Structures are given as structure tokens and as C-alpha cells.
Amino acid sequence: MRHKPFLLALASAAMLAAPQQAKTADDAPQASSETLLPRAIDAQYSGYLLGIKVLNASLDARLSGGEYESDALFETAGLVRWFKKAEIEAEVEGEMDRSYPRPKNYRHMNAAGSKDRTIEITFTGDDVISDVNPRFGSMGQPPATREERLEAVDALSAILQMALNANRHADRPCGYDARVFDGKQRYDLRMIYEGDYEAKLKGYKGPVTSCNVYYIPVSGFDPEDLPDEDMENTPLRVWFADTPSYGVSMPVRFELQLDFGKAVIEIRDLDIAMGDSLAGADALD
């Protein structure tokens, strides 16, 4: 079974999923004059495989003056780090269109020994251009088209986009599919409502919305990168904190059942600083 694409989505994009993402800025839920947005978000996560800690992750976001920036870090931890030191760093900056992030520049650095790679994505409005060093041997079969790139956002903007649109429409608790472009691969994260629960985690205790997330390849994939049928039908289960008073619903737990065991990522610390109100279709003041 090919787990690599889905696990990468778990580490660099499926933290990157939250309820109530809109399809486009025009389809986004209309914010009222009383809608509050957070000024800053600081989330710390730990990842476990078969109950053994294997990952530390952090996600930070800042919103001010109609602009936003976010960064994330994923690194191996525990005994795994003794054998395989790997880090993924990502950062993005862009503008806010209502509660919908519009990325401008995204940078992704993957440090894993001989497989170090840097990916920079520029969103010009007319196109989405990726600069990869070292270059990929292939941009996929077929590569992502201009139209497919333009309809997507980077992984970090997807987190923010979804989280800020959370808990706004009770008739669609898990929202629309997330459309992501990572510099080569264009994929969707399909969001299916699973249920509501009470969470008792180290970093969060309270109500959560549970969503099953399916990884849907669209373009930019080589044959060896495609998940097999079993993995396509295996959802990533994500819990989102039900905290509408904070104007954000952050993912607090990820669970993926593999053929050899269970992979889990859980929140260990979450801080949200409240900011300004969002006036109609205007951005933050």
C-alpha cells in the first residue's frame, strides 16, 4: 500500500483542514459587522505511531491590517529522530478577502538528508508559478494546468481559510472540499461530516466536530505517487475544536488507520489572541 502521499498530506496539508471552507472567496460565508477574527494563533502538536512519539509540529498565524502570514514546522521526534532526522518548514504571506486568505508567496523547505528540497510558489492573480530546487524529474502525468493551479491555495493558507470559515453554517458542518497545490501536485481534501464529540486532550478539552477527510489526487502526480484503492478509501479523521466565540475552529486531533497500526497527531498547546472585527466584505482594520 502506498502510504507516502496521504501521510505527507497529513503532515503538511491535512493540518490543513478545518470545517466550513468555502469554494471561492465569492462563495465564502458573508461576515457580519460583529464577526471577530483572531489576531494570532499558536498551536503545538505531537504525533504518535503505534503509541510511540514520532513527530513535533507547530503552526502559527498572524492577521493584521488586511494581511496575514503563517508558518509551520514539522520535525521527527523521540527515538525516530535518532535514526531519521527530518524537518519540514513552511511559510506564507498574503491578503485577506473577507475571511478568505489570498496567498501571494509561499515557501516550503524539506530537509531530509540527501532529499533536501525548497519549493517557492508565487500567486500572481493571473497564474501560479512554482520554483523548485532541485527540480522535480517530472511535474506529473499530466501536470497541473493553469486553471487547476488558480483554483487552489497553498497548504498553510488552506488551514487558515478553513479555520476562519468554521462553525458558520450548521447545514454543512465540515464544509466544501479543500483545493490544494503544493508546487507540483494538485489535490483535494474531501470533507465528510462524521459526528460531534467531547474531547479530553492535553491541549484542548471541549466539544469537537469530527470530519472524515479523503485525499483526492487531481493532477501533477506520477504513477508511483498515486495512492492505491485501499488508501483512497481510508479517511483521515480530524477533530476540530468547536469554539465559535473565538472566530476560529482549529484542528486538535488527526487519526489515520494504517494497515500496520494507527497514526495520531494531537494538540498539546493552543493559544488564540483575539483581534479586530471584520466589517462586511472589508478586511481587518
Side-chain angles (χ1 to χ4, degrees), residues 12-43:
S12 61
M15 260 181 97
L16 313 184
Q20 298 307 335
Q21 181 214 349
K23 292 179 179 179
T24 67
D26 292 334
D27 295 331
Q30 297 292 324
S32 72
S33 59
E34 300 301 320
T35 299
L36 291 177
L37 292 178
R39 183 179 71 253
I41 302 169
D42 181 2

Side-chain angles (χ1 to χ4, degrees), residues 3-21:
H3 299 292
K4 181 180 178 182
F6 205 102
L7 291 175
L8 288 176
L10 173 66
S12 61
M15 260 181 97
L16 313 184
Q20 298 307 335
Q21 181 214 349

Side-chain angles (χ1 to χ4, degrees), residues 13-19 158-159 162-163 178 189 191 213 238 240 249 251 254:
M15 260 181 97
L16 313 184
I159 302 180
M162 300 174 198
L189 297 176
M191 315 288 290
V213 183
V238 186
F240 300 98
S249 184
F254 308 83

Side-chain angles (χ1 to χ4, degrees), residues 15 42-46 57-60 203 266-270:
M15 260 181 97
D42 181 2
Q44 306 290 323
Y45 298 85
S46 295
S58 63
L59 171 66
D60 299 302
E266 289 188 350
I267 193 81
R268 68 172 185 268
D269 190 56
L270 176 61

